[in-house]
Amino acid sequence: MAAHIRRRLRKGATTTAVAAAAVAALAASQAPAATLADAGGGDPKAAGEDTASAEDDGAATGNSPYYTDLPPLVTPDKPGSSSNLPVTGSAEAGIPASILAAYKQAEQTVATTDPACRLPWQLLAAIGKVESGQARGGRVDANGTTTSPILGPALNGQGFALIKDTDGGAYDSDAVHDRAVGPMQFIPSTWASWGQDANGDGRKDPNNIYDAALAAGRYLCANDRDLAIAADLDKAVLSYNRSTEYLRTVRSWFSYYQRGTHEIPDGTGRLPTAPSTPTPSPNPGTPSPTPTPKPSPDKPGGKPTPGPSKPGDGSTSPKPKPPTSKPTPAETFGSLENAGTGPLRATAGQAFDERVTVLARNALGAPLGKVSVTFTVTGDTGTLFAGGRKTVTLRTGADGTVTAPELRAGEKAGEFTVTAVAGTGRPRTLTYAATVTARQADAIARTDEKALVAAPGEKFADAVTVKATYKDAAAAGVAVTATMVKDPLGLFDNDKGPYFKDAAGKPVRTLTTLTTDADGMLRLPEIFADGTEGIFKLRLTTEGGASVVIELTIQAPEETAPEGTTPEEAAPKETETPEA
């Protein structure tokens, strides 16, 4: 790689100045999330090339060659134009329609299964540019498969990593050594773990841009990376090809595409012209230097990890295996999703019909079992899981799903939340809104039909007793409002006639603190009559809309005859009219 750079520099001061201006212009245009991690100048170790831990071991491409052409000096200058792309521009800077569609589809798929990764399609476009020149200018068929295979050189240790055949030549037609394959240049062993079927044809084809773009997206998101963080994005790119020049080139195109690009017809893209140059292999028989143990930066306080021979650095010595096995993508937790949980609503004191169910997926998007999920109830309604717990931790089953215990609503109406959290380092969290409604009744009626009568200034001798029901069952704990009204519909309150008394003994004609007992029964407080005679109405309404109207009569008692008087004597006598 250094030799290649030196050759480029020897082309003359003019070429050097143009290249430097390009890098400077691109660097100045980068947004914060697209800035190179502080690498301390050009130190490969600072950028992460030689300091990767076991989780970053290896490279998706086997460090195969790539195109080093830089973006045009004139950028589209349209920040945030990922959805509003310019329609004109050079073929070199454009992206073929099918290729662009595949990148965007991969971004949307990953956003669904691993939203915490925040994968931008422009990063896939940048890698696709340097790996295959956007699949050789968009030469793909209607299904997105390249019209001819795109194969890297044999990884035979002659200037590249030494990777012996792992697929029997199934993907790369080479039964001796592996080669990088397809638009995103996966080596067969990496494709075996990360391959995807994104176009729904039942095959995981590294030569299909849709399959390859989704596989690249999931690969870049591995190890809980958040690609909106510069350091994580750098690690992701270096896991693809462990070269700081590669990182800088990808970063340049990433920044360019972030500022806007344009769609061009398939097959019209211009191929880059400057491939990278491998580092020469050591002379045969020359012993490889013994790697010096160095501490792993990702394991503070841990034991030093031997520095492995990098694929592509010219060494043919076997790479030492890490002391602990690295989880495969199928074993790596990738995302947490809602598994069909419906609306969470219940009446106070009742059990929720719906239960929270979540689905865990691995880094490949498949269901993942044995993932610990913690469910927590937050709010002041008094709602708890069965057994009186606010928090419970369970593991997903073989199908990747797990269901929280039954929820039992508290006595206070209102809203609360249930959260489901899984994963460590960068946990995935789902939040569910839930509602507790007040106890309800769909019917309310008097328990007897006795007439309610009182004399002016007296109290009603008979108490008013009602029963509330819900679906023909006693409705316990239902709030009831009692109001003296002028009309059956209760549209007009009455300020005369019967009344209740408040705690201070003052007349009130509305009560809102009444609640039915465990049997749905309610006995109203004493009712008093003022001095106004007539027939009045008392309206009772419940949560749920049930109501009943009860008549109250205030009338003076009839006069009674003195004791011992006969009915004839008590009867009024006719008055004789004197004769004229």
Side-chain angles (χ1 to χ4, degrees), residues 60-61 65-67 95 99 103 119-135 182-186 209 212-213 216-217 219-221 227 233-241 246-247 249-255 257 272:
T61 64
Y66 54 90
Y67 292 111
I95 300 178
I99 311 301
Y103 296 150
L119 170 73
W121 67 260
Q122 294 93 337
L123 179 60
L124 296 175
I127 291 175
K129 180 70 173 180
V130 301
E131 291 295 350
S132 66
Q134 306 299 17
M184 304 305 279
Q185 289 289 279
F186 280 97
I209 183 58
Y219 182 88
L220 294 166
C221 288
L227 299 182
L233 191 145
D234 288 351
K235 288 181 181 179
V237 174
L238 287 169
S239 75
Y240 222 85
N241 190 309
Y246 179 86
L247 173 61
T249 306
V250 169
R251 277 293 203 163
S252 296
W253 281 106
F254 177 48
S255 176
Y257 290 139

CSV table of all heavy atoms in Angstrom, one decimal, residues 60-61 65-67 95 99 103 119-135 182-186 209 212-213 216-217 219-221 227 233-241 246-247 249-255 257 272:
chain,number,residue,atom,x,y,z
A,60,ALA,N,-14.1,-8.7,6.2
A,60,ALA,CA,-15.2,-9.3,5.4
A,60,ALA,C,-14.6,-9.6,4.0
A,60,ALA,O,-15.1,-10.6,3.4
A,60,ALA,CB,-16.4,-8.3,5.2
A,61,THR,N,-13.7,-8.8,3.5
A,61,THR,CA,-13.2,-9.0,2.1
A,61,THR,C,-11.9,-9.8,2.1
A,61,THR,O,-11.4,-10.0,1.0
A,61,THR,CB,-13.0,-7.6,1.5
A,61,THR,OG1,-11.9,-6.9,2.2
A,61,THR,CG2,-14.2,-6.8,1.5
A,65,PRO,N,-8.1,-6.3,-2.9
A,65,PRO,CA,-7.9,-4.9,-3.5
A,65,PRO,C,-9.2,-4.2,-3.6
A,65,PRO,O,-10.3,-4.8,-3.6
A,65,PRO,CB,-7.3,-5.2,-4.9
A,65,PRO,CG,-6.8,-6.6,-4.9
A,65,PRO,CD,-7.6,-7.3,-3.8
A,66,TYR,N,-9.1,-2.9,-3.8
A,66,TYR,CA,-10.3,-2.0,-3.9
A,66,TYR,C,-9.9,-0.8,-4.7
A,66,TYR,O,-8.7,-0.6,-5.0
A,66,TYR,CB,-10.8,-1.6,-2.5
A,66,TYR,CG,-9.7,-0.9,-1.7
A,66,TYR,CD1,-9.5,0.4,-1.7
A,66,TYR,CD2,-8.8,-1.7,-0.9
A,66,TYR,CE1,-8.5,1.0,-1.0
A,66,TYR,CE2,-7.8,-1.1,-0.1
A,66,TYR,CZ,-7.7,0.2,-0.2
A,66,TYR,OH,-6.7,0.8,0.6
A,67,TYR,N,-10.9,-0.1,-5.2
A,67,TYR,CA,-10.6,1.1,-6.0
A,67,TYR,C,-10.3,2.3,-5.1
A,67,TYR,O,-11.0,2.5,-4.1
A,67,TYR,CB,-11.8,1.5,-6.8
A,67,TYR,CG,-12.1,0.4,-7.9
A,67,TYR,CD1,-13.2,-0.4,-7.9
A,67,TYR,CD2,-11.2,0.3,-9.0
A,67,TYR,CE1,-13.4,-1.3,-8.8
A,67,TYR,CE2,-11.4,-0.7,-10.0
A,67,TYR,CZ,-12.6,-1.5,-9.9
A,67,TYR,OH,-12.8,-2.4,-10.9
A,95,ILE,N,-25.2,6.9,-9.1
A,95,ILE,CA,-25.4,5.5,-8.6
A,95,ILE,C,-26.5,4.9,-9.5
A,95,ILE,O,-27.6,5.4,-9.6
A,95,ILE,CB,-25.8,5.5,-7.1
A,95,ILE,CG1,-24.8,6.2,-6.3
A,95,ILE,CG2,-26.0,4.1,-6.7
A,95,ILE,CD1,-25.1,6.3,-4.8
A,99,ILE,N,-28.8,-0.5,-8.0
A,99,ILE,CA,-27.8,-0.5,-6.9
A,99,ILE,C,-28.3,0.5,-5.8
A,99,ILE,O,-28.3,0.1,-4.6
A,99,ILE,CB,-26.4,0.0,-7.4
A,99,ILE,CG1,-26.0,-0.8,-8.7
A,99,ILE,CG2,-25.4,-0.2,-6.4
A,99,ILE,CD1,-26.0,-2.3,-8.5
A,103,TYR,N,-29.3,-0.4,-1.8
A,103,TYR,CA,-28.8,0.2,-0.6
A,103,TYR,C,-29.9,0.8,0.3
A,103,TYR,O,-29.9,0.6,1.5
A,103,TYR,CB,-27.8,1.4,-1.0
A,103,TYR,CG,-26.6,1.0,-1.8
A,103,TYR,CD1,-26.0,1.8,-2.7
A,103,TYR,CD2,-26.0,-0.3,-1.6
A,103,TYR,CE1,-24.9,1.5,-3.4
A,103,TYR,CE2,-24.9,-0.6,-2.3
A,103,TYR,CZ,-24.3,0.2,-3.2
A,103,TYR,OH,-23.2,-0.1,-3.9
A,119,LEU,N,-27.9,2.7,10.6
A,119,LEU,CA,-27.2,2.4,9.4
A,119,LEU,C,-27.6,3.4,8.3
A,119,LEU,O,-28.8,3.4,7.9
A,119,LEU,CB,-27.4,1.0,8.9
A,119,LEU,CG,-26.8,0.7,7.5
A,119,LEU,CD1,-25.3,0.6,7.5
A,119,LEU,CD2,-27.5,-0.6,7.0
A,120,PRO,N,-26.7,4.2,7.7
A,120,PRO,CA,-27.1,5.1,6.6
A,120,PRO,C,-26.8,4.4,5.2
A,120,PRO,O,-25.7,3.7,5.1
A,120,PRO,CB,-26.2,6.3,6.8
A,120,PRO,CG,-24.9,5.7,7.4
A,120,PRO,CD,-25.4,4.5,8.2
A,121,TRP,N,-27.7,4.5,4.3
A,121,TRP,CA,-27.4,3.9,3.0
A,121,TRP,C,-26.2,4.4,2.3
A,121,TRP,O,-25.6,3.8,1.5
A,121,TRP,CB,-28.7,4.0,2.1
A,121,TRP,CG,-29.0,5.3,1.6
A,121,TRP,CD1,-30.0,6.2,2.1
A,121,TRP,CD2,-28.4,6.0,0.5
A,121,TRP,NE1,-30.0,7.3,1.4
A,121,TRP,CE2,-29.1,7.3,0.4
A,121,TRP,CE3,-27.4,5.8,-0.4
A,121,TRP,CZ2,-28.8,8.2,-0.6
A,121,TRP,CZ3,-27.1,6.7,-1.4
A,121,TRP,CH2,-27.8,7.9,-1.5
A,122,GLN,N,-25.9,5.7,2.6
A,122,GLN,CA,-24.7,6.3,2.0
A,122,GLN,C,-23.4,5.6,2.3
A,122,GLN,O,-22.4,5.6,1.6
A,122,GLN,CB,-24.6,7.8,2.4
A,122,GLN,CG,-25.7,8.7,1.9
A,122,GLN,CD,-26.8,8.8,2.9
A,122,GLN,OE1,-27.0,8.0,3.7
A,122,GLN,NE2,-27.6,9.9,2.7
A,123,LEU,N,-23.3,4.9,3.5
A,123,LEU,CA,-22.2,4.1,3.9
A,123,LEU,C,-22.1,2.9,3.0
A,123,LEU,O,-21.0,2.5,2.5
A,123,LEU,CB,-22.2,3.7,5.4
A,123,LEU,CG,-21.0,2.9,5.9
A,123,LEU,CD1,-19.7,3.7,5.7
A,123,LEU,CD2,-21.2,2.5,7.3
A,124,LEU,N,-23.2,2.2,2.8
A,124,LEU,CA,-23.2,1.1,1.8
A,124,LEU,C,-22.8,1.5,0.4
A,124,LEU,O,-22.0,0.8,-0.2
A,124,LEU,CB,-24.6,0.5,1.8
A,124,LEU,CG,-25.1,-0.1,3.1
A,124,LEU,CD1,-26.6,-0.6,2.9
A,124,LEU,CD2,-24.2,-1.3,3.6
A,125,ALA,N,-23.2,2.7,0.0
A,125,ALA,CA,-22.9,3.2,-1.3
A,125,ALA,C,-21.4,3.5,-1.4
A,125,ALA,O,-20.7,3.2,-2.4
A,125,ALA,CB,-23.7,4.5,-1.6
A,126,ALA,N,-20.8,4.0,-0.3
A,126,ALA,CA,-19.4,4.3,-0.3
A,126,ALA,C,-18.6,3.0,-0.4
A,126,ALA,O,-17.6,2.9,-1.1
A,126,ALA,CB,-19.0,5.1,1.0
A,127,ILE,N,-19.0,2.0,0.4
A,127,ILE,CA,-18.2,0.7,0.3
A,127,ILE,C,-18.4,0.1,-1.1
A,127,ILE,O,-17.5,-0.5,-1.7
A,127,ILE,CB,-18.7,-0.2,1.5
A,127,ILE,CG1,-18.2,0.4,2.8
A,127,ILE,CG2,-18.2,-1.6,1.3
A,127,ILE,CD1,-18.7,-0.4,4.0
A,128,GLY,N,-19.7,0.1,-1.6
A,128,GLY,CA,-19.9,-0.5,-2.9
A,128,GLY,C,-19.1,0.2,-4.0
A,128,GLY,O,-18.8,-0.4,-5.0
A,129,LYS,N,-18.9,1.5,-3.8
A,129,LYS,CA,-18.1,2.3,-4.8
A,129,LYS,C,-16.6,1.8,-4.8
A,129,LYS,O,-16.1,1.5,-5.9
A,129,LYS,CB,-18.1,3.8,-4.5
A,129,LYS,CG,-17.3,4.6,-5.4
A,129,LYS,CD,-18.0,4.7,-6.8
A,129,LYS,CE,-17.3,5.7,-7.7
A,129,LYS,NZ,-17.9,5.8,-9.0
A,130,VAL,N,-16.0,1.6,-3.7
A,130,VAL,CA,-14.6,1.2,-3.6
A,130,VAL,C,-14.4,-0.3,-3.8
A,130,VAL,O,-13.4,-0.7,-4.3
A,130,VAL,CB,-13.9,1.7,-2.3
A,130,VAL,CG1,-14.0,3.2,-2.2
A,130,VAL,CG2,-14.5,1.0,-1.1
A,131,GLU,N,-15.5,-1.1,-3.6
A,131,GLU,CA,-15.3,-2.5,-3.7
A,131,GLU,C,-15.6,-3.0,-5.1
A,131,GLU,O,-14.8,-3.8,-5.7
A,131,GLU,CB,-16.3,-3.3,-2.8
A,131,GLU,CG,-15.9,-3.1,-1.3
A,131,GLU,CD,-14.6,-3.8,-0.9
A,131,GLU,OE1,-14.0,-4.5,-1.8
A,131,GLU,OE2,-14.1,-3.6,0.2
A,132,SER,N,-16.6,-2.4,-5.8
A,132,SER,CA,-16.9,-2.9,-7.1
A,132,SER,C,-17.3,-1.8,-8.1
A,132,SER,O,-17.9,-2.2,-9.2
A,132,SER,CB,-18.1,-3.9,-7.0
A,132,SER,OG,-19.3,-3.2,-6.6
A,133,GLY,N,-17.0,-0.6,-7.8
A,133,GLY,CA,-17.5,0.5,-8.7
A,133,GLY,C,-19.0,0.5,-8.9
A,133,GLY,O,-19.4,0.6,-10.0
A,134,GLN,N,-19.7,0.4,-7.8
A,134,GLN,CA,-21.2,0.2,-7.8
A,134,GLN,C,-21.6,-0.9,-8.8
A,134,GLN,O,-22.3,-0.7,-9.7
A,134,GLN,CB,-21.9,1.6,-8.2
A,134,GLN,CG,-21.5,2.8,-7.4
A,134,GLN,CD,-21.8,2.6,-5.9
A,134,GLN,OE1,-22.1,1.6,-5.4
A,134,GLN,NE2,-21.8,3.8,-5.2
A,135,ALA,N,-21.0,-2.1,-8.4
A,135,ALA,CA,-21.3,-3.3,-9.2
A,135,ALA,C,-21.0,-3.1,-10.7
A,135,ALA,O,-21.9,-3.4,-11.6
A,135,ALA,CB,-22.7,-3.9,-8.9
A,182,GLY,N,-18.6,-10.8,-5.5
A,182,GLY,CA,-19.8,-10.1,-5.7
A,182,GLY,C,-19.7,-8.6,-5.5
A,182,GLY,O,-18.6,-8.0,-5.3
A,183,PRO,N,-20.8,-7.8,-5.5
A,183,PRO,CA,-20.8,-6.4,-5.5
A,183,PRO,C,-20.1,-5.8,-4.2
A,183,PRO,O,-19.5,-4.8,-4.2
A,183,PRO,CB,-22.3,-6.0,-5.5
A,183,PRO,CG,-22.9,-7.2,-6.2
A,183,PRO,CD,-22.2,-8.4,-5.8
A,184,MET,N,-20.3,-6.5,-3.1
A,184,MET,CA,-19.7,-6.0,-1.8
A,184,MET,C,-18.5,-6.8,-1.4
A,184,MET,O,-18.0,-6.7,-0.3
A,184,MET,CB,-20.8,-6.1,-0.7
A,184,MET,CG,-22.1,-5.3,-1.1
A,184,MET,SD,-21.8,-3.6,-1.5
A,184,MET,CE,-21.6,-2.9,0.1
A,185,GLN,N,-18.0,-7.7,-2.3
A,185,GLN,CA,-16.7,-8.4,-2.1
A,185,GLN,C,-16.6,-9.2,-0.8
A,185,GLN,O,-15.6,-9.0,0.0
A,185,GLN,CB,-15.6,-7.4,-2.3
A,185,GLN,CG,-15.4,-7.0,-3.8
A,185,GLN,CD,-14.9,-8.1,-4.7
A,185,GLN,OE1,-13.7,-8.3,-4.7
A,185,GLN,NE2,-15.8,-8.8,-5.4
A,186,PHE,N,-17.5,-10.0,-0.5
A,186,PHE,CA,-17.4,-10.9,0.6
A,186,PHE,C,-16.6,-12.1,0.3
A,186,PHE,O,-16.7,-12.7,-0.8
A,186,PHE,CB,-18.8,-11.4,1.1
A,186,PHE,CG,-19.6,-10.4,1.9
A,186,PHE,CD1,-20.5,-9.6,1.3
A,186,PHE,CD2,-19.3,-10.3,3.3
A,186,PHE,CE1,-21.2,-8.7,2.1
A,186,PHE,CE2,-20.0,-9.4,4.0
A,186,PHE,CZ,-21.0,-8.6,3.5
A,209,ILE,N,-27.1,-7.8,-5.7
A,209,ILE,CA,-26.8,-6.6,-5.0
A,209,ILE,C,-27.7,-6.4,-3.8
A,209,ILE,O,-27.4,-5.9,-2.8
A,209,ILE,CB,-26.9,-5.4,-5.9
A,209,ILE,CG1,-26.6,-4.1,-5.2
A,209,ILE,CG2,-28.3,-5.3,-6.6
A,209,ILE,CD1,-25.2,-4.0,-4.6
A,212,ALA,N,-26.4,-8.8,-1.1
A,212,ALA,CA,-25.1,-8.4,-0.7
A,212,ALA,C,-25.2,-7.1,0.1
A,212,ALA,O,-24.5,-7.0,1.2
A,212,ALA,CB,-24.1,-8.2,-1.9
A,213,ALA,N,-26.0,-6.2,-0.3
A,213,ALA,CA,-26.1,-4.9,0.5
A,213,ALA,C,-26.7,-5.1,1.9
A,213,ALA,O,-26.2,-4.5,2.8
A,213,ALA,CB,-27.0,-4.0,-0.3
A,216,ALA,N,-24.0,-6.7,4.0
A,216,ALA,CA,-23.0,-5.7,4.4
A,216,ALA,C,-23.6,-4.8,5.5
A,216,ALA,O,-22.9,-4.5,6.5
A,216,ALA,CB,-22.6,-4.9,3.2
A,217,GLY,N,-24.8,-4.5,5.4
A,217,GLY,CA,-25.4,-3.7,6.5
A,217,GLY,C,-25.4,-4.4,7.8
A,217,GLY,O,-25.1,-3.8,8.8
A,219,TYR,N,-23.5,-6.8,8.7
A,219,TYR,CA,-22.1,-7.0,9.1
A,219,TYR,C,-21.5,-5.7,9.8
A,219,TYR,O,-20.8,-5.8,10.8
A,219,TYR,CB,-21.2,-7.4,7.9
A,219,TYR,CG,-19.8,-7.7,8.2
A,219,TYR,CD1,-19.4,-8.9,8.6
A,219,TYR,CD2,-18.8,-6.7,8.1
A,219,TYR,CE1,-18.0,-9.2,8.8
A,219,TYR,CE2,-17.5,-6.9,8.4
A,219,TYR,CZ,-17.1,-8.2,8.7
A,219,TYR,OH,-15.8,-8.5,9.0
A,220,LEU,N,-21.8,-4.6,9.2
A,220,LEU,CA,-21.3,-3.3,9.7
A,220,LEU,C,-21.9,-3.0,11.1
A,220,LEU,O,-21.3,-2.3,11.9
A,220,LEU,CB,-21.6,-2.2,8.7
A,220,LEU,CG,-20.9,-2.2,7.4
A,220,LEU,CD1,-21.5,-1.2,6.4
A,220,LEU,CD2,-19.4,-1.9,7.6
A,221,CYS,N,-23.1,-3.5,11.3
A,221,CYS,CA,-23.8,-3.2,12.6
A,221,CYS,C,-23.5,-4.2,13.7
A,221,CYS,O,-23.9,-4.0,14.8
A,221,CYS,CB,-25.3,-3.3,12.4
A,221,CYS,SG,-26.0,-1.9,11.4
A,227,LEU,N,-23.7,3.4,14.2
A,227,LEU,CA,-22.9,4.0,13.1
A,227,LEU,C,-23.1,5.5,13.0
A,227,LEU,O,-22.5,6.2,12.2
A,227,LEU,CB,-23.3,3.4,11.8
A,227,LEU,CG,-23.0,1.8,11.7
A,227,LEU,CD1,-23.4,1.3,10.4
A,227,LEU,CD2,-21.6,1.5,12.0
A,233,LEU,N,-18.3,3.9,13.5
A,233,LEU,CA,-18.3,3.8,12.0
A,233,LEU,C,-16.9,3.4,11.5
A,233,LEU,O,-16.8,2.6,10.6
A,233,LEU,CB,-18.8,5.1,11.4
A,233,LEU,CG,-19.1,5.1,9.9
A,233,LEU,CD1,-20.3,6.0,9.6
A,233,LEU,CD2,-17.9,5.5,9.1
A,234,ASP,N,-15.9,4.0,12.1
A,234,ASP,CA,-14.5,3.7,11.7
A,234,ASP,C,-14.2,2.2,12.0
A,234,ASP,O,-13.7,1.5,11.1
A,234,ASP,CB,-13.5,4.5,12.5
A,234,ASP,CG,-13.5,6.0,12.0
A,234,ASP,OD1,-14.2,6.3,11.0
A,234,ASP,OD2,-12.9,6.8,12.7
A,235,LYS,N,-14.7,1.7,13.1
A,235,LYS,CA,-14.4,0.2,13.4
A,235,LYS,C,-15.2,-0.6,12.4
A,235,LYS,O,-14.7,-1.7,11.9
A,235,LYS,CB,-14.9,-0.1,14.8
A,235,LYS,CG,-14.0,0.5,15.9
A,235,LYS,CD,-14.6,0.0,17.3
A,235,LYS,CE,-13.7,0.6,18.4
A,235,LYS,NZ,-14.3,0.2,19.8
A,236,ALA,N,-16.4,-0.2,12.0
A,236,ALA,CA,-17.2,-1.0,11.1
A,236,ALA,C,-16.5,-1.1,9.7
A,236,ALA,O,-16.4,-2.1,9.1
A,236,ALA,CB,-18.5,-0.4,10.9
A,237,VAL,N,-16.0,0.1,9.2
A,237,VAL,CA,-15.3,0.1,7.9
A,237,VAL,C,-14.0,-0.7,8.0
A,237,VAL,O,-13.7,-1.4,7.0
A,237,VAL,CB,-15.0,1.6,7.5
A,237,VAL,CG1,-14.2,1.6,6.2
A,237,VAL,CG2,-16.4,2.3,7.3
A,238,LEU,N,-13.3,-0.6,9.1
A,238,LEU,CA,-12.0,-1.3,9.2
A,238,LEU,C,-12.3,-2.8,9.3
A,238,LEU,O,-11.4,-3.6,9.0
A,238,LEU,CB,-11.2,-0.8,10.4
A,238,LEU,CG,-10.5,0.6,10.2
A,238,LEU,CD1,-10.0,1.1,11.5
A,238,LEU,CD2,-9.4,0.5,9.1
A,239,SER,N,-13.4,-3.2,9.8
A,239,SER,CA,-13.7,-4.6,9.9
A,239,SER,C,-14.0,-5.2,8.5
A,239,SER,O,-13.9,-6.4,8.2
A,239,SER,CB,-15.0,-4.9,10.7
A,239,SER,OG,-16.2,-4.5,10.1
A,240,TYR,N,-14.2,-4.3,7.5
A,240,TYR,CA,-14.4,-4.7,6.1
A,240,TYR,C,-13.1,-4.9,5.4
A,240,TYR,O,-13.0,-5.8,4.6
A,240,TYR,CB,-15.3,-3.6,5.4
A,240,TYR,CG,-16.3,-4.2,4.5
A,240,TYR,CD1,-17.6,-4.5,5.0
A,240,TYR,CD2,-16.1,-4.3,3.2
A,240,TYR,CE1,-18.6,-5.1,4.2
A,240,TYR,CE2,-17.1,-4.9,2.4
A,240,TYR,CZ,-18.3,-5.2,2.9
A,240,TYR,OH,-19.3,-5.8,2.1
A,241,ASN,N,-12.2,-4.0,5.7
A,241,ASN,CA,-10.8,-4.1,5.1
A,241,ASN,C,-9.9,-3.3,6.0
A,241,ASN,O,-10.1,-2.1,6.2
A,241,ASN,CB,-10.8,-3.4,3.7
A,241,ASN,CG,-9.5,-3.7,3.0
A,241,ASN,OD1,-8.4,-3.5,3.5
A,241,ASN,ND2,-9.6,-4.2,1.7
A,246,TYR,N,-7.9,2.5,3.0
A,246,TYR,CA,-9.3,2.1,2.7
A,246,TYR,C,-10.3,2.9,3.5
A,246,TYR,O,-11.3,3.4,2.9
A,246,TYR,CB,-9.4,0.6,3.0
A,246,TYR,CG,-10.8,0.0,2.8
A,246,TYR,CD1,-11.1,-0.5,1.5
A,246,TYR,CD2,-11.8,-0.1,3.8
A,246,TYR,CE1,-12.4,-1.0,1.2
A,246,TYR,CE2,-13.0,-0.6,3.5
A,246,TYR,CZ,-13.3,-1.1,2.3
A,246,TYR,OH,-14.5,-1.6,2.0
A,247,LEU,N,-10.1,3.1,4.8
A,247,LEU,CA,-11.0,3.9,5.6
A,247,LEU,C,-11.1,5.3,5.1
A,247,LEU,O,-12.2,5.8,5.0
A,247,LEU,CB,-10.5,3.9,7.1
A,247,LEU,CG,-11.3,4.8,8.0
A,247,LEU,CD1,-12.7,4.3,8.2
A,247,LEU,CD2,-10.6,4.8,9.4
A,249,THR,N,-10.6,6.4,2.1
A,249,THR,CA,-11.3,6.4,0.8
A,249,THR,C,-12.8,6.2,0.9
A,249,THR,O,-13.6,6.9,0.3
A,249,THR,CB,-10.7,5.3,-0.2
A,249,THR,OG1,-9.3,5.4,-0.3
A,249,THR,CG2,-11.4,5.4,-1.5
A,250,VAL,N,-13.2,5.2,1.8
A,250,VAL,CA,-14.6,5.0,2.0
A,250,VAL,C,-15.2,6.3,2.7
A,250,VAL,O,-16.3,6.7,2.3
A,250,VAL,CB,-14.8,3.8,2.9
A,250,VAL,CG1,-16.3,3.7,3.4
A,250,VAL,CG2,-14.5,2.5,2.2
A,251,ARG,N,-14.5,6.9,3.6
A,251,ARG,CA,-15.0,8.1,4.3
A,251,ARG,C,-15.2,9.2,3.3
A,251,ARG,O,-16.2,10.0,3.4
A,251,ARG,CB,-14.0,8.5,5.4
A,251,ARG,CG,-14.2,7.8,6.7
A,251,ARG,CD,-15.5,8.1,7.3
A,251,ARG,NE,-15.4,7.9,8.8
A,251,ARG,CZ,-16.3,8.4,9.6
A,251,ARG,NH1,-17.3,9.2,9.2
A,251,ARG,NH2,-16.2,8.2,10.9
A,252,SER,N,-14.3,9.3,2.3
A,252,SER,CA,-14.5,10.4,1.3
A,252,SER,C,-15.7,10.2,0.5
A,252,SER,O,-16.5,11.2,0.3
A,252,SER,CB,-13.2,10.4,0.4
A,252,SER,OG,-12.1,10.7,1.1
A,253,TRP,N,-16.0,9.0,0.0
A,253,TRP,CA,-17.2,8.8,-0.7
A,253,TRP,C,-18.5,8.9,0.2
A,253,TRP,O,-19.5,9.3,-0.3
A,253,TRP,CB,-17.2,7.4,-1.4
A,253,TRP,CG,-16.3,7.4,-2.6
A,253,TRP,CD1,-15.1,6.8,-2.8
A,253,TRP,CD2,-16.7,7.9,-3.9
A,253,TRP,NE1,-14.6,7.1,-4.1
A,253,TRP,CE2,-15.6,7.7,-4.8
A,253,TRP,CE3,-17.8,8.6,-4.4
A,253,TRP,CZ2,-15.6,8.2,-6.1
A,253,TRP,CZ3,-17.8,9.0,-5.7
A,253,TRP,CH2,-16.7,8.8,-6.5
A,254,PHE,N,-18.3,8.4,1.4
A,254,PHE,CA,-19.5,8.5,2.3
A,254,PHE,C,-19.9,10.0,2.5
A,254,PHE,O,-21.0,10.4,2.4
A,254,PHE,CB,-19.1,7.9,3.7
A,254,PHE,CG,-20.1,8.0,4.8
A,254,PHE,CD1,-21.4,7.7,4.5
A,254,PHE,CD2,-19.8,8.5,6.0
A,254,PHE,CE1,-22.4,7.8,5.5
A,254,PHE,CE2,-20.7,8.6,7.0
A,254,PHE,CZ,-22.1,8.2,6.7
A,255,SER,N,-18.9,10.9,2.7
A,255,SER,CA,-19.2,12.3,2.9
A,255,SER,C,-19.8,12.9,1.6
A,255,SER,O,-20.7,13.7,1.6
A,255,SER,CB,-17.9,13.0,3.2
A,255,SER,OG,-18.1,14.4,3.2
A,257,TYR,N,-21.5,11.3,-0.8
A,257,TYR,CA,-22.9,10.8,-0.9
A,257,TYR,C,-23.9,11.4,0.1
A,257,TYR,O,-25.0,11.6,-0.2
A,257,TYR,CB,-23.0,9.3,-0.9
A,257,TYR,CG,-22.4,8.6,-2.0
A,257,TYR,CD1,-21.6,7.4,-1.9
A,257,TYR,CD2,-22.6,9.1,-3.3
A,257,TYR,CE1,-21.0,6.8,-3.0
A,257,TYR,CE2,-22.0,8.4,-4.4
A,257,TYR,CZ,-21.2,7.3,-4.2
A,257,TYR,OH,-20.7,6.7,-5.3
A,272,PRO,N,-14.3,3.0,-11.7
A,272,PRO,CA,-13.0,3.6,-11.2
A,272,PRO,C,-11.8,3.0,-12.0
A,272,PRO,O,-11.9,1.9,-12.6
A,272,PRO,CB,-13.0,3.2,-9.7
A,272,PRO,CG,-14.5,2.9,-9.4
A,272,PRO,CD,-15.0,2.3,-10.6
